[in-house]
Amino acid sequence: MSLPVAVLVSGSGSNLQSIIDHIEAGHIDARITAVISNKADAYGLTRARKHDIPALALPHDAYPDRVAFDAALLAAVRDSGAEAVVLAGFMRILGSDFVAAYRDRIINIHPALLPSFPGLHGQGDAAAYGVTISGATVHFVDEKMDNGPIIIQAAVPALPDDDAGSLGARILAFEHRIYPQALAWLAAGRLTIDGRKTRLAPADVPPADLAAAGPCLVNPPLERGF
Ligand code: GRF
């Protein structure tokens, strides 16, 4: 049975779009029960509606405090029937009650190679620091920001003249590949958490040729279709 997932967004939702496209292509055994945003004008909501996915705005500033917003968010996710939660550019920290309700079933994508450059400005911080490699990380969510066990990372070159925009664009192209892959693994029940590590059960299909990923390191290797 397809894994019912809720996707939380705050902005453009290009990662949401990539996930929708891979679900529609039959690469991920999941269905999106709802796309929920804390911003009423998030383009991610429009993307959802274009695919007949229930889209809901829950503006955080309409709630008296963080706890009240978190409770409303949790209720909306539960009401949708979701059994897992995908954070796709969701710019709010989830409260401990939410994390506890969906423990080990919430995933997030971060635009840097964690544990380097956590926080809101991963791309700009990495570019300003002068690293020569950066990338993206998909990880399970726990109570601490950008902290849970890592599922997959993709590395891309960072160039001396990069800024947040140019490095971020290079990273985003790989976000769109590794996030659907991570969700496919979660939906297939192939991920188990072992302390700080995520273990990936082997697939029936052989992994795609790593060279096809270009001059980048993606580990574990991408499988066919991603
Ligand atoms: C991505 O860079 C993601 O890593 C970060 O927020 C951005 C969301 O982009 N968490 P989009 O809304 O998916 O286009």
Side-chain angles (χ1 to χ4, degrees):
M1 203 198 77
S2 296
L3 179 70
V5 300
V7 182
L8 309 189
V9 301
S10 295
S12 155
S14 68
N15 279 288
L16 164 70
Q17 187 69 55
S18 183
I19 288 168
I20 291 171
D21 293 345
H22 278 283
I23 289 175
E24 292 185 350
H27 298 158
I28 306 174
D29 190 11
R31 66 186 168 84
I32 300 175
T33 60
V35 171
I36 303 172
S37 179
N38 63 311
K39 302 245 184 208
D41 60 354
Y43 187 63
L45 294 173
T46 304
R47 292 184 195 267
R49 291 186 190 108
K50 285 184 179 172
H51 291 265
D52 293 326
I53 297 168
L56 177 67
L58 286 183
H60 61 269
D61 44 16
Y63 295 85
D65 54 30
R66 196 175 277 274
V67 173
F69 171 69
D70 221 50
L73 187 63
L74 178 57
V77 168
R78 275 188 167 138
D79 288 351
S80 79
E83 288 174 13
V85 180
V86 173
L87 307 184
F90 185 63
M91 307 307 268
R92 305 288 299 175
I93 307 255
L94 294 177
S96 53
D97 287 352
F98 194 114
V99 173
Y102 279 88
R103 184 162 308 283
D104 299 344
R105 290 178 295 149
I106 309 171
I107 59 176
N108 181 46
I109 190 157
H110 181 72
L113 292 175
L114 292 174
S116 291
F117 309 114
L120 285 181
H121 309 291
Q123 309 98 320
D125 291 346
Y129 192 91
V131 296
T132 61
I133 294 175
S134 191
T137 304
V138 180
H139 63 95
F140 285 104
V141 171
D142 64 13
E143 280 79 2
K144 295 187 196 150
M145 188 169 65
D146 300 331
N147 182 71
I150 290 169
I151 299 168
I152 184 171
Q153 295 184 299
V156 306
L159 307 176
D161 292 333
D162 269 334
D163 56 16
S166 59
L167 180 57
R170 202 173 303 125
I171 293 170
L172 191 63
F174 272 84
E175 293 185 37
H176 295 162
R177 299 178 68 181
I178 66 171
Y179 213 7
Q181 169 74 90
L183 180 58
W185 288 334
L186 182 75
R190 289 176 56 194
L191 301 179
T192 48
I193 296 176
D194 177 9
R196 271 230 50 96
K197 298 186 181 173
T198 302
R199 299 204 181 270
L200 170 65
D204 313 333
V205 291
D209 183 0
L210 233 203
C216 296
L217 178 63
V218 181
N219 190 45
L222 296 166
E223 292 176 349
R224 280 204 189 109
F226 294 96

